């Protein structure tokens, strides 16, 4: 491959001719109901009510006003969060999860020894509505974080979150989490390392590609989900913050951050089509880009993927590419400059590809098929020399458009619902759920924060699927309220119940559990409203609020 050599100094700059920032972008196609036009009305299509109407000083006549008022058109349509999320996690997919969860629960019950009691002994068949409520409960744990699962049912007044108990009892949630399953073990293909989660992975990734048509610029990068347990395809990447975990190849739309496709890396059995001469990295790129080849997209990748051979193959399929590249890649030209000063740059081109060596803090090599040998101002000024900073156009575009995958990881990291678990496939499932929620927020296209979208989504799913459960009447007594010795407390009557009416009574807290005198089961019709504690009016009310050890 023949490259022409060209070198520029830090003071030689030309205007960029790059077409990577083209304004001609394809429309986003979203598979949701759209009853009207998404575009605002043009003033050429509908005359304004205050346009010049002729000889009355610009005022419209009554007939013209009535005619204008009768020409309403739909210019926007509110889409609730739920349908956007259900484009990915469909009821059909949740139905399959429910079926496999029920089957796996029965298998666990059959393995249980006779006479051994436990949560599985109280197993009740789950449903689609309960599974959606379960997922809402898991998503909510990503916003309300606690150190352990059992703390969500704590009765300690300082840490209590009663809303979680209103969704599920502790035993029901834990047994659902234990029995959560996605495949029939009897018919699974055991040679597939991902057979435990394969059905969910295929369903979600195919929905990602079906619902959203990406804009021009795409990027592919690695993402690492933390996992320190035993797993055959666990990876160690020292450059990542979490270092150990399951590696994903992720393709994102640069403009919106929509996750277009995901491939789980499992070593030699990774689900990719191998292309001769491109290696594993090039085969990953070609597999993920297969539905988008020949459509004029531009791909941004890092130096693990980039090579002149891959970029030439993409160019032959009407797909541009840009990325950092290793200087020893096969087909890379030999740059003539030895040690370069900061800001110096050398370009080499062969008519189709542009190779760049630019020295910033260290040598940076970039390969591109969509840029020219030009440099542009960054908008910053060198504080030592006072001169404006300039960089090659390909470097500027790469820095601007390469971070979509890392940004998606960053956004989800603040509210992710994944928790420590012994089952790796459950953690991957919850990671995929987070990704589906992120994509749903992008499809939703409303000016609200990502956390607000998640909150609205959870509320809507609960309104549709949740059935209020009866409050628990048993369990451990609440921990002592630390505010009972402070603030202001006044007695009031116990609220009447439908069955007892005006004769409603409750057991006095001090008489039942006090340590200063013998315990007795004494009923009272009075209580402290602030503490929500039934108390005899005298002397128990005074002792409860004045003595630490009553």
């Amino acid at each position: 491959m023949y490259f022409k050599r060209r070198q520029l100094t830090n003071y030689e700059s030309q205007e960029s001719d790059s077409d990577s920032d083209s304004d001609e972008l394809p429309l986003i196609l979203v598979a949701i109901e759209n009853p009207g036009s998404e575009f605002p009305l043009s003033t050429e299509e509908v005359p304004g009510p205050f346009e010049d109407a002729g000889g009355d000083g610009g005022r419209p006549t009554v007939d013209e006003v009535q005619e204008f008022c009768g020409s309403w058109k739909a210019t926007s349509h509110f889409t609730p969060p739920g349908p956007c999320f259900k484009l990915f996690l469909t009821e059909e997919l949740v139905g399959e999860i429910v079926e496999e969860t029920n089957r796996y629960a029965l298998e666990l019950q059959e393995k249980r020894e006779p006479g051994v009691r436990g949560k599985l002994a109280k197993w009740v068949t789950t449903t689609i509505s309960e599974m959606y409520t379960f997922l809402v409960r898991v998503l909510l744990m990503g916003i309300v974080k606690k150190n352990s699962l059992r703390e969500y049912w704590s009765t300690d007044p300082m840490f209590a979150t009663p809303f979680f108990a209103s969704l599920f009892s502790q035993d029901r949630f834990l047994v659902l989490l234990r029995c959560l399953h996605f495949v029939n073990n009897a018919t699974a293909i055991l040679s597939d390392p991902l057979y435990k989660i394969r059905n969910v992975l295929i369903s979600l990734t195919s929905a990602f590609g079906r619902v959203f048509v990406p804009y021009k610029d795409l990027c592919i990068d690695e993402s690492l989900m933390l996992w320190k347990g035993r797993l055959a395809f666990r990876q160690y990447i020292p450059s990542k913050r979490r270092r150990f975990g399951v590696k994903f190849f992720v393709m994102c739309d640069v403009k919106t951050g929509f996750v277009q496709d995901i491939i789980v890396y499992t070593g030699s059995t990774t689900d990719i089509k191998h292309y001769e001469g491109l290696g594993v990295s090039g085969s990953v790129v070609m597999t993920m880009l297969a539905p988008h080849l020949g459509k004029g997209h531009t791909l941004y990748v890092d130096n693990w993927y980039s090579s002149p051979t891959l970029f030439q193959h993409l160019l032959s399929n009407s797909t541009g590419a840009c990325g950092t590249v290793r200087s020893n890649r096969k087909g890379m030209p030999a740059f003539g400059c030895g040690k370069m000063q900061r800001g110096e740059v050398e370009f080499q081109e062969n008519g189709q590809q542009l190779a760049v060596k630019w020295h910033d803090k260290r040598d940076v090599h970039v390969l591109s098929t969509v840029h020219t040998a030009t440099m542009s101002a960054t908008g910053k000024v060198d504080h030592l020399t006072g001169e404006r900073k300039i960089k090659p156009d390909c470097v500027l575009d790469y820095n601007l458009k390469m971070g979509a995958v890392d940004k998606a990881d960053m956004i989800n990291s603040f509210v992710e619902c994944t928790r420590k678990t012994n089952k790796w496939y459950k953690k991957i499932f919850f990671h995929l759920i987070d990704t589906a929620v992120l994509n749903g927020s992008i499809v939703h296209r409303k000016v609200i924060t990502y956390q607000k979208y998640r909150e609205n989504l959870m509320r809507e799913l609960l309104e549709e699927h949740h059935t209020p459960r009866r409050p628990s009447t048993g369990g451990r007594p609440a921990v002592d309220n630390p505010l009972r010795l402070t603030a202001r407390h006044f007695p009031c009557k116990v609220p009447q119940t439908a069955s007892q009416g005006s004769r409603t009574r409750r057991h006095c807290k001090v008489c039942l559990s006090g340590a200063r005198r013998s315990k007795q089961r004494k009923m009272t019709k009075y209580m402290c409203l602030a503490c929500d504690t039934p108390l005899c009016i005298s002397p128990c009310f005074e002792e409860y609020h004045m003595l630490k050890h009553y």
Side-chain angles (χ1 to χ4, degrees), residues 510 513-519 549-550:
V510 175
S513 59
R516 301 178 68 246
R517 54 179 179 265
S518 59
K519 298 180 176 59
H549 303 288
Y550 55 83

Side-chain angles (χ1 to χ4, degrees), residues 157 478-481 484 489-495 506-511 513 524-536 540-541 544-545 550:
V479 183
D480 190 21
N481 188 347
R484 67 180 176 85
H489 302 271
F490 300 96
C492 67
K493 289 189 175 182
V494 173
R506 292 173 63 184
H507 290 286
C508 173
K509 174 78 172 179
V510 175
C511 294
S513 59
T524 178
K525 65 177 180 179
Y526 295 99
M527 64 178 291
C528 175
L529 184 62
C531 300
D532 190 23
T533 304
L535 297 165
C536 296
C540 300
F541 191 91
Y544 183 76
H545 293 107
Y550 55 83

Side-chain angles (χ1 to χ4, degrees), residues 104-176:
Y104 186 60
L106 294 178
E107 292 178 3
L108 292 178
Q109 283 183 324
E110 292 174 358
K111 296 178 182 178
R112 187 168 53 91
E113 296 181 3
V116 177
R117 300 183 62 183
K119 298 181 182 65
L120 278 174
K122 299 182 292 184
W123 171 259
V124 179
T125 302
T126 187
T127 62
I128 292 178
S129 291
E130 186 181 37
M131 186 58 66
Y132 271 115
T133 306
F134 172 81
L135 293 177
V136 169
R137 172 71 168 72
V138 173
L139 290 173
L140 188 56
M141 290 194 304
I143 298 177
V144 183
K145 296 183 182 294
K146 296 193 177 185
N147 291 329
S148 67
L149 286 176
R150 295 184 183 274
E151 288 185 8
Y152 288 99
W153 288 270
S154 173
T155 56
D156 189 328
M158 290 193 298
F159 309 107
T161 47
F163 181 73
F164 287 92
S166 69
L167 298 179
F168 286 101
S169 66
Q170 176 178 291
D171 286 352
R172 180 59 177 173
F173 179 81
L174 293 180
V175 75
L176 272 176

Side-chain angles (χ1 to χ4, degrees), residues 245-415:
V246 179
K247 183 168 78 172
F248 300 91
F249 297 114
V250 182
M251 182 171 68
C252 280
D253 173 61
V254 170
K255 184 177 177 66
T256 62
F258 187 92
V259 177
Q260 199 71 30
D261 195 9
I262 296 176
I263 294 178
V264 183
Y265 179 74
T266 58
S268 60
T269 59
T270 303
D271 187 21
I272 59 175
K273 179 181 178 181
H274 291 274
Y275 289 77
E276 185 177 357
L278 297 181
V280 175
S281 60
S283 298
V284 169
V285 171
M286 295 304 299
T287 300
M288 302 188 84
L289 274 182
H292 309 288
L293 293 176
K295 298 180 181 179
H297 289 285
T298 299
L299 177 69
Y300 291 84
V301 289
D302 61 23
N303 59 18
W304 191 77
Y305 305 92
S306 300
S307 70
T309 306
L310 173 64
F311 281 21
Q312 190 64 36
H313 190 72
L314 291 174
L315 190 62
S316 65
N317 286 278
S318 303
T319 302
C322 175
T324 55
V325 63
R326 298 173 185 176
S327 59
N328 60 352
R329 286 284 194 188
K330 183 178 180 180
M332 282 293 291
F335 291 92
C337 296
K339 189 173 182 180
M340 302 174 67
Q341 299 298 319
R342 184 166 187 169
E344 289 186 346
V345 62
E346 181 179 353
F347 296 98
Q348 295 195 33
E349 54 188 4
N350 64 355
Q352 293 182 321
Q353 299 187 38
L354 174 70
V356 181
K357 180 182 179 182
W358 173 63
H359 188 85
D360 187 29
K361 293 181 180 179
R362 60 184 66 87
D363 287 342
V364 178
H365 294 83
V366 180
L367 192 65
S368 176
T369 60
V370 293
H371 294 90
T372 57
T374 55
M375 301 182 71
S376 298
T378 63
K380 299 180 181 180
V381 177
D382 192 323
H383 67 281
L384 294 178
T385 63
E387 299 173 350
R388 63 174 186 169
K389 293 183 178 180
I390 58 175
K391 293 181 180 180
D393 288 340
C394 54
V395 174
L396 291 175
D397 272 355
Y398 177 84
N399 291 338
L400 181 65
K401 299 176 180 179
M402 186 54 204
V405 176
D406 292 334
K407 185 178 180 180
D409 289 341
M410 181 269 294
I411 292 174
N412 267 332
S413 67
F414 298 113
V415 290

Side-chain angles (χ1 to χ4, degrees), residues 66-77:
Q66 291 177 348
E67 181 181 358
F68 171 77
C69 293
S71 60
W72 291 99
K73 293 183 180 179
T75 58
S76 62
H77 176 61

